Amino acid sequence: MAAMKLLALRSAYKTASFHFGSRQLPLRRNYVRAFSAAIMSPPSMAVVYDQHGPPDQLTRIVEFPPVEIKANDVCVKMLAAPINPSDINRIEGVYPVRPVPPAVGGYEGVGEVYAVGSGVKGLSPGDWVIPSPPSFGTWQSYIVQEQSVWHKINKDTPMEYAATVTVNPLTAFRMLKDFVQLNSGDAIVQNGATSMVGQCIIQLARIQGVHSINIIRDRAGADEVKENLKKLGADEVFTESQLEVKKVKDLLGSLPEPALGFNCVGGNAATLVLKFLRSGGTMVTYGGMSKKPVTVSTSSFIFKDLSLRGFWLQKWMSSDKADECRDMIDQLLGLMRDGKIKYDMELVPFNDFHIALDKALGKQGSNTKQVLIF
Amino acid sequence: MAAMKLLALRSAYKTASFHFGSRQLPLRRNYVRAFSAAIMSPPSMAVVYDQHGPPDQLTRIVEFPPVEIKANDVCVKMLAAPINPSDINRIEGVYPVRPVPPAVGGYEGVGEVYAVGSGVKGLSPGDWVIPSPPSFGTWQSYIVQEQSVWHKINKDTPMEYAATVTVNPLTAFRMLKDFVQLNSGDAIVQNGATSMVGQCIIQLARIQGVHSINIIRDRAGADEVKENLKKLGADEVFTESQLEVKKVKDLLGSLPEPALGFNCVGGNAATLVLKFLRSGGTMVTYGGMSKKPVTVSTSSFIFKDLSLRGFWLQKWMSSDKADECRDMIDQLLGLMRDGKIKYDMELVPFNDFHIALDKALGKQGSNTKQVLIF
């Protein structure tokens, strides 16, 4: 371990600076200050990558030396942080906004305040906080960031939900609000319904009295998946092959034609969402799991008057929405405490990061969301 | 001719009613009244089709007997009417809103008031009128319709422009207004730039101080086509093959990235429009000449935040916009009288309808807009 620490430091020295969250900290200076009288953080274990490429090959766990906690800084002991697909894309270098390597992985999570600088008000050791808006570098055991980064949350929230509230549930929350005015009794349609966003959409729609029509890919155990989504509140769940019919709308029964659809798959699964939409409806694309583009007929635009849009939470949050964002997160956390939003997660000790990463990369057959526990 | 008239009438009797514009006139009754003291129209020569299918095989010119001109009716001697692609699609039966055959072809045109009913005010014989909103059945020499159908226009307007002002120029006019707020100095991008809508977009944009980036298909004589579009006011004209470069935006020079694009082609030509658009831009589809769908990458929606919409004039006009529509047409006719909107047309005597139709169907190599002159 000592050897590893040394190696990490040497590597860090070579690159002169390192990303903790959105700050670049000159490491050499911090290391020097570790011997001064400044208030210092504990050493931090972190998942780092030195260049873009395959995450399973390029990430390693290193120990960082203590960092000074300045007057306005808060030192947070991380409790839990998920591995989201966008975290993987950032390491791969294919995500449009990403830290310059070397960098620490992760983008959201929850932690407990460990120590505060002399000028910090409203946060005390023991408080639970999340970075809001999220920021880079949550896959590490201690983070020192200015107090403005941190949003204090209710400690009664289940830890793994607090760790995952922003990237996926907030996406679902915004997408149900920002594109079409939905009223009780209306319907939405989505593909990728088993994704975390998909599960949140089902439950958030249901809370508003909005029906959901859900499309999943064909798979072994599809009936069980359907049953689980229906328990969450899904009105209808279809596999793609069930929708190989002339008129998918004949399958709607008494449900209204949806005015809003969500696509996180692309290809045929996106076409199916478009087929369900009513005239004048809107499809919002927020992911492309199949890696296939969206294909739309001319008549869908002209005669069916469909609108196709996109949603990216990171852009939405960057547009001066910080306060609004925190209000919404508090609403979502309340629903989570009440058991009104649930989704599947697998909790994994931080030291087993590479096992969790392999699962997140789909190498072990499971797609369950991996949440690192520190 | 007498035999043909008899045949037409026999055919009409069999089907019991016939469409003149949006009205169904019981032909037998009209025929009988021709012998009464009612005010009657002259007989009318009309292009009719008895069923949906290939227009060149199914259309024929027939003579209709006189029609009674009731108190609120206006009898119009048609002067000119174009053959638009949507007219062809209606006959083929592939257009979503279309008359039930047997029907008279055509949807817009200009005529001169021939006679008015006793209750008609504001219109007199000799006035020029257009049906506004357009209505079915303009390919005939005399039309009797209620006065509310007719919009009186300035007789100084060149006849062929008055005949064609609604379907294409009004589409261009609306699409430049309804989707993105354009300011002087902004830019738009479009494919199918040689179409009548495309030519109008270039000129209407230029009048607003808006630059146009235009895409045309590769063809013999492309240089001459480019020159002609530039004379209309096009800032840049590219053939599709010229845009087979890594970054089409490098070709923009000093022009701003366009916030609005228009697509009437689909396939690769639509992808090129998307490539030119700036982040947050909108592409409006109003046609699909290549018969290929529009294909869009996931990242165009999420990270580039593009919106894809459609425009259909017929739907826009049906939404209680009659007065607004007539105001805009008057504006457009003014621009046409001033020579500020021009486009290519070929004037063809009505009796040569089938020659004009063959040209409109692209059978003779020319795509010039065919305008029937009565």
Side-chain angles (χ1 to χ4, degrees):
Chain A
M1 193 63 207
M4 188 176 177
K5 181 177 171 182
L6 197 60
L7 191 67
L9 286 173
R10 271 198 207 124
S11 158
Y13 282 150
K14 270 198 296 190
T15 56
S17 72
F18 221 99
H19 298 262
F20 285 80
S22 55
R23 286 199 308 183
Q24 285 201 332
L25 297 178
L27 266 198
R28 184 183 293 274
R29 194 192 55 173
N30 289 317
Y31 187 72
V32 171
R33 288 196 184 173
F35 298 99
S36 77
I39 313 173
M40 303 299 291
S41 74
S44 181
M45 300 301 294
V47 174
V48 297
Y49 55 101
D50 295 307
Q51 57 182 322
H52 291 306
D56 48 351
Q57 294 172 34
L58 294 174
T59 53
R60 57 203 172 88
I61 298 183
V62 301
E63 186 182 298
F64 287 137
V67 171
E68 182 183 348
I69 303 166
K70 294 183 190 157
N72 288 319
D73 283 348
V74 176
C75 174
V76 173
K77 179 187 185 310
M78 290 303 287
L79 299 171
I83 304 178
N84 284 315
S86 49
D87 297 323
I88 291 168
N89 295 151
R90 282 191 194 91
I91 299 171
E92 291 169 337
V94 300
Y95 210 72
V97 179
R98 54 185 190 253
V100 180
V104 178
Y107 185 62
E108 67 172 339
V110 65
E112 185 177 276
V113 174
Y114 177 83
V116 299
S118 57
V120 170
K121 287 174 187 165
L123 285 177
S124 310
D127 286 346
W128 277 20
V129 291
I130 63 171
S132 177
S135 50
F136 305 128
T138 56
W139 295 346
Q140 57 184 320
S141 52
Y142 289 91
I143 302 179
V144 177
Q145 283 275 20
E146 285 198 355
Q147 62 178 327
S148 63
V149 166
W150 303 107
H151 176 53
K152 182 176 168 179
I153 64 158
N154 187 321
K155 288 179 76 166
D156 293 337
T157 314
M159 187 175 67
E160 65 276 23
Y161 282 92
T164 54
V165 65
T166 308
V167 171
N168 294 293
L170 189 54
T171 292
F173 190 91
R174 285 313 323 167
M175 292 200 303
L176 283 164
K177 290 201 180 296
D178 288 355
F179 296 94
V180 171
Q181 169 68 43
L182 293 171
N183 299 309
S184 181
D186 288 345
I188 61 96
V189 57
Q190 67 170 340
N191 60 31
T194 58
S195 71
M196 199 196 282
V197 172
Q199 293 178 64
C200 290
I201 283 174
I202 291 168
Q203 295 167 89
L204 289 168
R206 169 54 60 102
I207 290 167
Q208 297 177 49
V210 170
H211 304 286
S212 66
I213 300 142
N214 298 277
I215 304 169
I216 61 174
R217 64 188 158 72
D218 291 86
R219 65 185 90 193
D223 286 344
E224 193 188 345
V225 171
K226 287 181 185 181
E227 210 46 54
N228 289 337
L229 293 180
K230 285 187 177 176
K231 278 183 198 154
L232 292 181
D235 292 85
E236 292 288 351
V237 187
F238 302 106
T239 58
E240 288 186 38
S241 64
Q242 277 185 285
L243 299 174
E244 286 167 8
V245 295
K246 196 162 181 193
K247 285 193 176 177
V248 297
K249 288 187 182 176
D250 291 347
L251 301 170
L252 280 177
S254 61
L255 291 175
E257 291 179 85
L260 180 60
F262 301 111
N263 164 46
C264 66
V265 181
N268 179 55
T271 303
L272 291 171
V273 168
L274 293 174
K275 281 185 180 173
F276 269 115
L277 283 180
R278 73 162 166 74
S279 183
T282 297
M283 181 172 86
V284 181
T285 290
Y286 68 96
M289 287 195 282
S290 73
K291 300 195 189 296
K292 289 177 188 158
V294 175
T295 301
V296 199
S297 70
T298 299
S299 64
S300 294
F301 288 119
I302 303 180
F303 302 131
K304 205 176 164 188
D305 192 24
L306 297 186
S307 290
L308 272 68
R309 307 280 301 275
F311 183 80
W312 187 22
L313 186 71
Q314 194 164 337
K315 178 165 182 288
W316 182 84
M317 287 188 304
S318 67
S319 52
D320 197 24
K321 301 275 189 190
D323 290 345
E324 198 180 338
C325 184
R326 291 182 175 190
D327 286 347
M328 289 183 299
I329 281 171
D330 289 340
Q331 285 183 55
L332 288 166
L333 292 170
L335 293 169
M336 289 164 171
R337 286 194 296 278
D338 294 344
K340 289 183 178 164
I341 298 183
K342 295 182 228 170
Y343 38 77
D344 297 332
M345 287 176 276
E346 188 173 343
L347 311 189
V348 188
F350 178 66
N351 284 335
D352 290 341
F353 169 78
H354 282 97
I355 298 171
L357 180 64
D358 281 353
K359 288 188 182 171
L361 290 168
K363 285 204 218 164
Q364 315 231 351
S366 157
N367 280 315
T368 309
K369 179 68 63 182
Q370 302 293 304
V371 180
L372 306 170
I373 304 296
F374 293 84
Chain B
M1 196 62 207
M4 190 177 173
K5 180 177 172 182
L6 196 58
L7 190 67
L9 287 172
R10 269 197 207 126
S11 156
Y13 282 151
K14 271 198 296 187
T15 55
S17 72
F18 220 99
H19 298 262
F20 285 80
S22 55
R23 286 199 308 183
Q24 284 201 331
L25 297 177
L27 265 200
R28 184 183 293 275
R29 194 192 55 171
N30 289 316
Y31 187 70
V32 171
R33 287 194 185 177
F35 300 99
S36 77
I39 313 173
M40 304 300 290
S41 75
S44 181
M45 300 301 293
V47 174
V48 298
Y49 55 101
D50 295 308
Q51 57 182 313
H52 290 307
D56 48 349
Q57 293 171 34
L58 294 173
T59 52
R60 57 204 171 88
I61 297 181
V62 302
E63 185 181 300
F64 287 138
V67 172
E68 182 183 348
I69 303 166
K70 293 182 190 160
N72 288 319
D73 284 347
V74 175
C75 174
V76 172
K77 179 187 185 308
M78 290 302 286
L79 299 171
I83 303 178
N84 284 315
S86 49
D87 297 324
I88 291 168
N89 295 152
R90 283 192 192 91
I91 299 171
E92 290 168 338
V94 299
Y95 209 72
V97 179
R98 53 183 190 252
V100 180
V104 178
Y107 185 62
E108 67 173 338
V110 64
E112 184 178 277
V113 174
Y114 178 82
V116 299
S118 56
V120 170
K121 287 173 188 165
L123 285 178
S124 311
D127 286 346
W128 276 20
V129 290
I130 63 170
S132 176
S135 51
F136 304 128
T138 56
W139 294 346
Q140 58 185 318
S141 53
Y142 289 90
I143 301 178
V144 175
Q145 283 275 21
E146 283 198 356
Q147 61 178 325
S148 63
V149 166
W150 302 106
H151 175 52
K152 182 177 167 178
I153 65 157
N154 186 321
K155 288 178 76 166
D156 293 336
T157 314
M159 186 174 69
E160 65 275 23
Y161 282 92
T164 55
V165 67
T166 309
V167 170
N168 295 294
L170 189 53
T171 291
F173 190 90
R174 286 312 324 166
M175 292 200 303
L176 282 165
K177 289 199 180 298
D178 288 355
F179 296 94
V180 171
Q181 170 68 44
L182 293 171
N183 298 311
S184 182
D186 289 345
I188 62 97
V189 56
Q190 66 169 341
N191 60 31
T194 58
S195 70
M196 199 196 282
V197 172
Q199 294 178 63
C200 289
I201 283 174
I202 291 169
Q203 295 167 89
L204 289 168
R206 169 53 60 105
I207 290 167
Q208 297 177 50
V210 170
H211 303 286
S212 65
I213 300 142
N214 299 277
I215 305 168
I216 61 173
R217 62 187 160 72
D218 291 270
R219 66 184 89 194
D223 286 343
E224 193 188 347
V225 171
K226 287 181 184 181
E227 210 45 54
N228 288 337
L229 294 181
K230 286 189 175 175
K231 277 183 197 152
L232 292 181
D235 292 85
E236 292 289 351
V237 187
F238 301 106
T239 58
E240 288 186 37
S241 64
Q242 278 185 285
L243 299 173
E244 286 167 9
V245 294
K246 196 161 181 194
K247 285 193 176 177
V248 297
K249 287 186 182 176
D250 291 346
L251 301 170
L252 280 178
S254 61
L255 292 175
E257 291 179 83
L260 179 59
F262 301 111
N263 164 45
C264 66
V265 181
N268 178 56
T271 302
L272 291 172
V273 168
L274 294 173
K275 282 186 180 172
F276 269 115
L277 283 179
R278 73 162 165 76
S279 183
T282 297
M283 181 173 85
V284 181
T285 290
Y286 69 95
M289 286 195 282
S290 73
K291 300 195 189 299
K292 289 179 187 154
V294 174
T295 301
V296 198
S297 70
T298 299
S299 64
S300 295
F301 288 120
I302 303 181
F303 304 130
K304 204 175 163 188
D305 192 24
L306 297 186
S307 290
L308 274 67
R309 307 279 301 275
F311 182 80
W312 187 21
L313 186 73
Q314 194 164 337
K315 177 164 183 288
W316 182 85
M317 288 188 302
S318 67
S319 53
D320 198 25
K321 301 275 188 188
D323 289 345
E324 198 180 337
C325 184
R326 290 180 177 190
D327 286 347
M328 290 183 299
I329 281 171
D330 289 341
Q331 284 183 53
L332 288 167
L333 292 171
L335 293 170
M336 289 163 171
R337 285 193 298 277
D338 295 344
K340 289 182 179 163
I341 298 183
K342 295 181 227 170
Y343 37 76
D344 297 331
M345 288 178 275
E346 188 173 344
L347 311 188
V348 187
F350 179 65
N351 283 336
D352 290 339
F353 169 77
H354 282 96
I355 297 171
L357 179 64
D358 280 353
K359 288 188 182 173
L361 289 168
K363 284 203 220 167
Q364 314 230 351
S366 158
N367 280 315
T368 310
K369 179 68 64 181
Q370 301 293 303
V371 180
L372 306 170
I373 304 295
F374 294 85

